[in-house]
Amino acid sequence: MKRIITSFMCFAICIALFAQATDLTIDNQTPGWLSSKINYGDQQTVQNLKVTGYINETDLRFIGNLIDMNLKVIDLADANIVGNSWNGSFHTDKYASYHIQKLIMPHSLTSYSEEDIKWHDASVDTLVFDTKVNKIGEFETIYKREHCFRRKIGHLILGENVDSILCLTGGDVTTVHLPTSLTYIAPCACEGHESLAEWNIREFSNLEEMGYCAFADVHVNATENYSNRQTLPDSIFLPKIQHYDLASFEYKKECTSSSEML
C-alpha cells in the first residue's frame, strides 16, 4: 500500500510539473523577445494571455501565431507598442482569417488605423478600446483617410479616454458601450445599425455637440428621405449640450430631456 501511495504521489507531481498553461501573464521588458518567455508546450495551450512591458512587430506576429493555435483572449492594456502606433494586425498576411473572444487595446496607443488591413474573416467578440487615441472612426488627414475599425466586432467597449465619435459605420459592430467622456458625436456617426437596444444612449453627461442623424437606422444620402425607425429612449440626459440636431433621434411627442438648452 505504501508503494502504491508513493507511486501515486510521484505521478501527481509529474502532472503538476508538466501541466501546460491556459492562462499566462508575461512581463516583456525587451521588445522582440516575447516568444522566449513562453515555452513550446504553453504556446500550444494558452487561451488567455496578458502582456505587460514593451512589444514590437515581432511580438505581435508571435501573438498572431498563438491565435492560429489556441489563443482566445488577449490583454494588451498595460503593454507599450514600440512607437505607440499600430495598424491592428497580428499577421503579415492582410487576408488572415481568425476569430478571438476578446481583445483589450494598449492604453498607451496614440495612433491606430486599420486603413491597410483587409480583415476579410477576422472577428472579435469583444473589443475594449480605451486609449490615448481619443477620436473614434473615419477621418481625413492631409495625406490619407484613416479607419479605426475594419474588422467584425460583436461588442465594442469605448473607454473614458474617448471624447469624439466621428464614424462607427465603417466596421461591422453589433453593440457599443459609449463612455460618459464623449463631448462630440459627428453627423451620421452611428447610422446604419439595425438595433440600438443594447447601446447605452440614455445618458450623455458631457456631450456638447451632436450632429444631424447621429443615430439613424438607414444610411442617409442626398437622394433619399430620412426616416428613423429606431427604438430610442423617451428620456435622454444631456446636461451640457450646446448644439443638437433633432433628427439625430426619432421625434416623439412625449420625448423629454433634462436639458433646458434644447
Side-chain angles (χ1 to χ4, degrees):
M1 178 63 70
K2 184 177 181 180
R3 182 178 297 177
I4 294 174
I5 295 175
T6 302
S7 299
F8 179 78
M9 291 179 63
C10 290
F11 179 70
I13 291 172
C14 287
I15 292 176
L17 288 174
F18 293 99
Q20 295 174 336
T22 57
D23 303 321
L24 288 175
T25 297
I26 304 296
D27 183 30
N28 189 59
Q29 291 298 317
T30 306
W33 286 78
L34 181 61
S35 61
S36 67
K37 304 279 188 177
I38 307 176
N39 65 55
Y40 181 74
D42 289 344
Q43 291 179 25
Q44 304 293 312
T45 59
V46 62
Q47 297 182 25
N48 305 288
L49 176 65
K50 177 179 176 64
V51 180
T52 62
Y54 301 87
I55 57 178
N56 61 13
E57 184 175 345
T58 299
D59 301 313
L60 292 168
R61 300 294 177 262
F62 171 67
I63 293 175
N65 292 334
L66 297 180
I67 294 173
D68 294 338
M69 289 185 279
N70 209 31
L71 187 60
K72 301 299 182 185
V73 177
I74 307 166
D75 183 352
L76 301 179
D78 299 317
N80 296 274
I81 295 179
V82 174
N84 284 334
S85 179
W86 190 27
N87 68 357
S89 176
F90 289 107
H91 295 79
T92 56
D93 181 5
K94 291 182 179 181
Y95 302 95
S97 300
Y98 62 85
H99 169 256
I100 54 178
Q101 294 176 0
K102 188 174 185 178
L103 171 61
I104 303 177
M105 295 288 198
H107 294 315
S108 59
L109 274 183
T110 57
S111 177
Y112 181 77
S113 174
E114 293 181 0
E115 168 67 19
D116 297 326
I117 307 303
K118 299 305 179 183
W119 303 108
H120 281 187
D121 295 309
S123 63
V124 55
D125 291 340
T126 300
L127 178 66
V128 180
F129 196 93
D130 186 13
T131 77
K132 292 181 180 179
V133 183
N134 61 352
K135 296 184 185 299
I136 302 303
E138 177 182 303
F139 58 96
E140 292 189 11
T141 64
I142 296 175
Y143 303 102
K144 66 177 181 178
R145 172 173 290 183
E146 297 181 350
H147 302 267
C148 268
F149 306 119
R150 303 284 285 181
R151 73 188 85 188
K152 296 177 182 179
I153 303 169
H155 186 48
L156 174 63
I157 300 175
L158 301 180
E160 294 298 319
N161 283 310
V162 178
D163 65 19
S164 303
I165 295 179
L166 305 183
C167 182
L168 276 179
T169 62
D172 186 0
V173 182
T174 303
T175 66
V176 180
H177 171 81
L178 301 171
T180 60
S181 55
L182 283 177
T183 61
Y184 173 70
I185 301 178
C188 304
C190 304
E191 66 167 352
H193 296 279
E194 294 182 359
S195 176
L196 298 176
E198 297 183 47
W199 290 39
N200 57 322
I201 58 174
R202 191 173 297 277
E203 178 175 341
F204 293 110
S205 55
N206 291 292
L207 197 67
E208 297 176 359
E209 181 173 349
M210 183 184 299
Y212 180 76
C213 296
F215 295 92
D217 62 342
V218 293
H219 290 288
V220 180
N221 58 54
T223 61
E224 67 183 7
N225 294 324
Y226 168 74
S227 176
N228 191 342
R229 298 181 296 275
Q230 294 288 16
T231 301
L232 295 167
D234 293 333
S235 180
I236 300 168
F237 186 54
L238 301 166
K240 295 185 179 180
I241 198 76
Q242 297 176 16
H243 178 76
Y244 173 81
D245 287 317
L246 186 61
S248 295
F249 292 99
E250 178 182 8
Y251 176 75
K252 299 177 182 178
K253 185 176 181 180
E254 67 274 17
C255 187
T256 60
S257 171
S258 62
S259 174
E260 297 180 355
M261 301 180 66
L262 295 181

